[in-house]
């Protein structure tokens, strides 16, 4: 674990020393801010209409179910599009610059290299998500939403990110070109996102496809519902790609 | 005595290309072993196998009695490796980078600072310690590369072309540093420069085409080279340009096999490469012939024994001894891995 943390620490330092992390954080903050403002405005307008009708419509608005839920689900899609930028350079850059030779001749295992890289990317992603605490905090300031569903949604976002980063790490370990790694990751994620729509057509195959949808499993979390099914999906998804990434690093030794 | 490194019948294939074929040699503790060979001879591949970067296709490597394939992490802990292109993170400060590599090599927490300080001292990096690696000159980068290989005080240092790309002063310093390491550490270094081997190494392993061609001390290597070159030598003669008359005069000297005129220099002189049979006495004959023809003689010296000459001399000799015809004709392999 010490070895993995050593690698993770250097990795985070490198990311914070390059503009990539800041550009990514900035882009995320901007897009998230836009979503937030948009959903908040719709929510407020709906609230106004309801109060004009004097409560005769029968329903009431709830910050958890009518605002945060949709915001969190949209965040999942945003994350899907942005995380390839975070994962693409992790291994590719080491291969390109020759520092992979340093790591592969150090007294550490291939698994520790992959784990270190993963932890670093995950920590940066955590920092990125922390930015949204500002917006959500505003809601808590002016309203009294329930905290538990919000925490569940964040847990879901973290698990989703873990899965996406693990997949990105694998594609990054395939090539010395980080752009290629990024595009491969993006393409794979696009497929894993679109299967949700393909899955909606129903049938046996449809159910399989719907299960494979990376964002589909976010819906429960966004509503504040944690199911074993979703937990197992994300954890096994991350573990699967991390395993492949380790094998890919290992095979690099044989290929030279 | 049990050697520190034992390379045992190692072969390495990249697809169908055979980069290293059945290589066996040992490195004794405290020895500086020079690994000599032309580009593409399999030097880098062999070093990568020794350092545990890649497993061999066949054979095995023992370091301190441990098989790399069986205890990779334990073996790599004992090795410091400087690849041909120093593996550096350009965005890091020298000190931070060395601390990272020390930690990576398992130096205990309290020992990291002293270890880094020692490596900086050794490699004369004091001035650059707070500099960003990406902004350092080539010579400094090479020194940082050497420092990262040394930082955890490994028993075995593997240096791939440690002086490549350095200026003469830096080359001299690097060789001196390597010499000071000898005795307390075991060093395996590769080079394609013959004098480097003579200056720094206790023993030399020559490979070409992925095969072992010779294994000897530099002294006996030079002696064998001398023996191989007896009866044939090259001479460089500088004379006035155009050198047509001089060329004709030299050709007439008995024993001269070949005369080749070089390009005219800025000083309006020309250097002639003369290949002549016979020992060094032939130099007098060459000079006399030139002066008698009325051509000025500005310089005369024995042509440098190029690596190619050594190889031709040594490898053909080895091939004859082994009864195999194929000397250096094995296909070359690009050493730049992906």
């Amino acid at each position: 674990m010490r070895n993995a943390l050593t690698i993770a620490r250097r990795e985070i330092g490198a990311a914070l020393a390059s503009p990539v992390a800041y550009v990514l954080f900035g882009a995320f903050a901007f897009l998230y801010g836009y979503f937030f403002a948009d959903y908040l405005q719709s929510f407020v307008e709906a609230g106004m209409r309801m109060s004009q009708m004097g409560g005769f419509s029968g329903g009431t608005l709830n910050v958890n179910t009518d605002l945060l839920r949709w915001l969190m689900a949209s965040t999942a899609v945003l994350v899907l599009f942005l995380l390839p930028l975070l994962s693409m350079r992790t291994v590719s850059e080491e291969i390109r610059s020759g520092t992979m030779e340093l790591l592969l001749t150090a007294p550490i295992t291939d698994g520790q290299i992959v784990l270190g890289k993963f932890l670093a990317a995950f920590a940066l992603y955590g920092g990125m998500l922390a930015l949204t605490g500002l917006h959500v905090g505003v809601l808590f300031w002016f309203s009294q939403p329930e905290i538990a569903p919000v925490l569940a949604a964040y847990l879901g976002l973290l698990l989703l990110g873990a899965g996406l980063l693990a997949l990105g790490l694998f594609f990054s370990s395939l090539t010395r070109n980080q752009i290629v790694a990024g595009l491969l990751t993006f393409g794979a994620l696009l497929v894993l996102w679109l299967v949700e729509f393909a899955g909606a057509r129903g049938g046996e195959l449809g159910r399989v496809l719907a299960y494979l949808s990376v964002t589909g499993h976010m819906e429960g979390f966004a509503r504040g519902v944690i199911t074993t099914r979703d937990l197992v999906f994300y954890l096994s998804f991350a573990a699967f790609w991390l395993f492949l990434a380790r094998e890919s690093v290992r095979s690099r030794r044989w290929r030279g | 005595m049990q050697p520190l490194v034992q390379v045992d019948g190692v072969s390495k294939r990249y697809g169908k290309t055979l980069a290293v074929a059945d290589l066996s040699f040992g490195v004794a503790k405290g020895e500086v072993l020079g690994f000599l060979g032309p580009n593409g001879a399999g030097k880098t591949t062999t070093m990568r196998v020794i350092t545990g970067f890649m497993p061999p296709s066949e054979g095995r490597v023992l370091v301190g009695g441990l098989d790399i394939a069986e205890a990779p992490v334990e073996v790599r802990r004992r090795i410091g490796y400087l690849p041909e292109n120093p593996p550096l993170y350009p965005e890091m400060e020298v000190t931070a980078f060395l601390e990272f590599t020390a930690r990576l090599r398992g130096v205990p927490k309290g020992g990291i600072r002293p270890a880094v300080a020692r490596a900086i001292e050794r490699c004369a990096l004091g001035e650059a310690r707070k500099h960003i690696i990406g902004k350092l000159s080539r010579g400094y980068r090479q020194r940082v590369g050497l420092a990262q290989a040394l930082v955890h005080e490994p028993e075995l240092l593997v240096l791939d072309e440690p002086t490549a790309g350095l200026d003469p002063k830096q080359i001299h310093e690097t060789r001196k540093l390597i010499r000071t390491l000898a005795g307390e550490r075991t060093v395996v270094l590769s080079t394609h420069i013959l004098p480097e081997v003579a200056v720094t190494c206790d023993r030399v392993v020559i490979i070409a085409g992925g095969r072992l061609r010779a294994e000897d001390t530099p002294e006996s290597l030079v002696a064998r080279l001398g023996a191989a070159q007896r009866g044939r030598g090259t001479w460089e003669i500088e004379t006035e340009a155009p050198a047509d008359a001089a060329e004709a005069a030299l050709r007439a000297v008995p024993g001269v096999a070949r005369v080749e005129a070089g390009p005219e220099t800025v000083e309006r002189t020309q250097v002639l490469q003369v290949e002549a049979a016979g020992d060094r006495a032939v130099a007098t004959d060459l000079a006399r012939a030139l002066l008698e023809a009325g051509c000025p003689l500005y310089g005369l010296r024995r042509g440098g024994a190029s690596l190619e000459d050594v190889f031709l001399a040594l490898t053909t000799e080895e091939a004859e001894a082994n009864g195999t015809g194929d000397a250096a004709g094995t296909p070359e392999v690009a050493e730049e891995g992906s």
Side-chain angles (χ1 to χ4, degrees):
Chain A
M1 198 60 195
R2 182 194 177 216
N3 293 331
L5 288 178
T6 300
I7 290 181
R9 255 177 66 180
R10 196 216 63 80
E11 188 79 13
I12 292 170
L16 294 182
S18 84
V20 180
Y22 300 102
V23 170
L24 191 63
F25 280 28
F28 177 72
F30 176 77
L31 292 169
Y32 183 83
Y34 172 78
F35 277 127
F36 180 78
D38 194 46
Y39 282 120
L40 187 62
Q41 187 166 6
S42 311
F43 181 76
V44 170
E45 279 169 5
M48 302 256 270
R49 271 199 304 278
M50 271 195 183
S51 62
Q52 277 166 5
M53 287 153 79
F56 285 118
S57 60
T60 49
L61 279 175
N62 178 304
V63 180
N64 281 106
T65 55
D66 297 310
L67 174 56
L68 277 167
R69 177 188 168 186
W70 306 113
L71 184 63
M72 290 299 185
S74 302
T75 310
V77 177
L78 196 56
V79 163
L80 185 85
F81 279 87
L82 288 179
L83 282 198
L85 295 171
L86 193 59
S87 64
M88 66 183 191
R89 73 193 290 276
T90 48
V91 185
S92 297
E93 182 64 15
E94 305 259 5
I95 300 170
R96 191 195 59 76
S97 72
T99 45
M100 201 64 189
E101 207 161 348
L102 179 76
L103 298 183
L104 289 179
T105 53
I108 54 177
T109 63
D110 300 343
Q112 286 165 344
I113 296 175
V114 169
L115 186 63
K117 298 256 162 210
F118 173 75
L119 289 176
F122 191 63
L124 288 169
Y125 170 62
M128 195 170 106
L129 273 190
L131 293 174
T132 66
L134 191 67
H135 309 73
V136 175
V138 166
L139 294 181
F140 277 89
W141 185 265
F142 291 103
S143 169
Q144 293 86 38
E146 273 183 74
I147 185 99
V150 178
L151 293 179
Y154 273 113
L155 174 67
L157 284 176
L158 284 175
L159 287 169
L160 168 75
L164 302 189
L165 289 172
L167 180 143
L169 192 60
F170 167 69
F171 282 110
S172 181
S173 72
L174 291 183
T175 166
R176 59 164 56 214
N177 185 328
Q178 47 172 302
I179 304 299
V180 171
L183 288 176
L184 286 173
T185 308
F186 189 68
L189 292 183
L190 213 54
V191 169
L192 288 173
W193 180 45
L194 293 176
V195 289
E196 189 179 350
F197 305 107
R201 301 170 118 203
E204 210 44 43
L205 181 67
R207 278 179 51 205
V208 173
L209 290 177
Y211 181 75
L212 285 177
S213 162
V214 279
T215 48
H217 290 271
M218 207 22 232
E219 274 164 25
F221 287 106
R223 274 185 316 188
V225 181
I226 303 176
T227 64
T228 321
R229 181 185 140 100
D230 294 336
L231 277 177
V232 165
F233 174 81
Y234 281 132
L235 291 177
S236 58
F237 188 83
F240 173 73
W241 292 107
L242 284 179
F243 170 76
L244 283 192
R246 191 191 69 179
E247 292 310 301
S248 164
V249 167
R250 181 168 295 169
S251 80
R252 196 153 276 285
R253 292 179 183 276
W254 290 94
R255 285 178 284 145
Chain B
M1 197 184 75
Q2 168 85 11
L4 182 70
V5 183
Q6 185 61 53
V7 176
D8 228 1
V10 163
S11 298
K12 180 71 193 177
R13 259 174 266 277
Y14 296 111
K16 281 185 178 165
T17 326
L18 190 62
V20 173
D22 195 21
L23 201 60
S24 298
F25 61 89
V27 190
K29 224 179 169 92
E31 183 178 48
V32 178
L33 179 86
F35 217 51
L36 191 64
N39 291 328
K43 296 191 298 276
T44 297
T45 298
T46 309
M47 297 192 127
R48 284 178 163 178
V49 170
I50 294 176
T51 55
F53 175 76
M54 51 168 65
S57 307
E58 278 152 45
R60 59 175 194 162
V61 177
L62 300 177
V63 177
L66 290 172
D67 191 331
I68 287 190
E70 281 160 21
V73 172
E74 183 46 45
V75 168
R76 282 187 233 136
R77 204 188 304 282
R78 304 175 177 202
I79 297 178
Y81 175 39
L82 172 63
E84 200 170 353
N85 298 307
L88 309 172
Y89 293 105
E91 77 281 353
M92 290 180 102
E93 275 179 17
V94 171
T95 311
F97 173 70
L98 292 177
E99 280 170 7
F100 166 70
T101 51
R103 208 172 288 128
L104 200 63
R105 264 69 164 276
V107 175
K109 213 165 187 167
I112 289 174
R113 271 170 188 281
V116 168
R118 256 196 319 273
I120 284 178
E121 166 82 35
R122 267 223 154 114
C123 301
L125 280 166
E127 280 175 46
R129 62 193 309 155
K130 287 284 159 207
H131 285 51
I132 302 286
I133 290 174
K135 299 199 169 157
L136 293 178
S137 67
R138 166 86 202 178
Y140 264 112
R141 280 186 207 193
Q142 191 75 14
R143 274 193 253 172
V144 177
L146 206 53
Q148 65 79 24
L150 280 170
V151 73
H152 57 305
E153 308 272 340
E155 286 174 72
L156 173 67
L157 262 180
V158 179
L159 312 173
D160 198 353
E161 307 254 356
T163 57
L166 300 185
D167 68 35
K169 186 163 163 278
Q170 293 164 338
I171 290 178
H172 178 72
E173 281 165 4
T174 307
R175 286 177 185 165
K176 219 167 69 189
L177 176 64
I178 293 170
R179 267 328 309 179
T180 64
L181 294 171
E184 52 173 308
R185 303 209 195 296
T186 309
V187 182
V188 175
L189 67 88
S190 78
T191 179
H192 58 264
I193 308 161
L194 184 63
E196 184 154 300
V197 170
V199 175
T200 50
C201 302
D202 303 318
R203 217 155 49 82
V204 182
V205 166
I206 294 186
I207 66 167
R211 279 167 215 281
L212 187 83
R213 300 295 176 191
E215 191 182 353
D216 225 324
T217 62
E219 291 77 28
S220 40
L221 184 72
V222 170
R224 284 164 76 179
L225 171 63
Q229 283 203 328
R230 195 160 298 141
R232 175 178 93 79
T234 46
W235 304 87
E236 286 175 14
I237 296 173
E238 192 173 359
T239 184
E240 189 79 32
D244 303 338
E247 216 177 315
L250 290 172
R251 266 188 221 286
V253 176
V256 168
R258 192 174 60 91
V259 180
E260 211 170 276
E264 200 177 311
T265 67
V266 281
E267 293 172 292
R268 298 197 49 75
T269 66
Q270 215 164 343
V271 175
L272 300 171
Q273 298 270 356
V274 181
E275 200 174 293
D279 56 14
R280 57 192 169 202
V282 79
T284 321
D285 299 339
L286 294 175
R288 190 178 296 124
L290 198 68
L291 295 175
E292 279 171 2
C295 302
L297 175 61
Y298 297 142
L300 171 85
R301 65 183 195 91
R302 200 196 280 255
S306 69
L307 183 65
E308 234 159 281
D309 295 338
V310 180
F311 270 106
L312 281 175
L314 275 172
T315 52
T316 45
E317 183 194 334
E318 292 286 316
E320 276 158 22
N322 296 339
T324 53
D326 171 38
T330 341
E332 293 203 346
V333 177
E335 298 221 350
E336 289 292 319
S338 58

